[in-house]
Amino acid sequence: MDKIKVEVCCGTACYLLGAANLMSLEDMLPENCRGRVEVEAKTCLELCEKENLGGAPYVRFNDTEIMAQATPEKVLARIAELAGETE
């Protein structure tokens, strides 16, 4: 199975609005997902200018799917879905 790529926007607005909390996602992963997820900080995903900061912080999954107003809980739930670990 391919790794799940999780890119966390760490631009100024996203960082101040919660991206700092998202950078420890790998430590929060359930045991069955460890090693299957790659979390990477990105300088900026350039999404705030499109959304007027209303959706920060942003996370991008597998280069395509964007999550706005990301929280550790929301991101971990989406990772579980992508890994096929949901009921």
Side-chain angles (χ1 to χ4, degrees):
M1 171 186 217
D2 292 333
K3 281 195 172 191
I4 298 166
K5 184 176 179 183
V6 179
E7 296 170 292
V8 178
C9 182
C10 287
T12 303
C14 286
Y15 192 82
L16 292 174
L17 292 171
N21 298 329
L22 297 171
M23 289 314 304
S24 58
L25 281 171
E26 287 181 304
D27 297 332
M28 297 181 224
L29 289 170
E31 192 64 38
N32 58 343
C33 286
R34 291 181 189 229
R36 297 172 61 190
V37 178
E38 176 186 330
V39 179
E40 182 180 348
K42 298 303 271 188
T43 304
C44 185
L45 295 177
E46 299 182 15
L47 295 167
C48 289
E49 61 190 39
K50 297 175 187 172
E51 299 291 331
N52 296 321
L53 304 179
Y58 291 96
V59 171
R60 181 167 50 203
F61 299 92
N62 297 326
D63 296 318
T64 56
E65 179 185 340
I66 302 293
M67 175 183 285
Q69 299 177 336
T71 64
E73 296 78 17
K74 285 173 57 176
V75 173
L76 290 170
R78 184 62 185 136
I79 289 170
E81 290 172 0
L82 291 170
E85 300 293 332
T86 59
E87 297 173 17

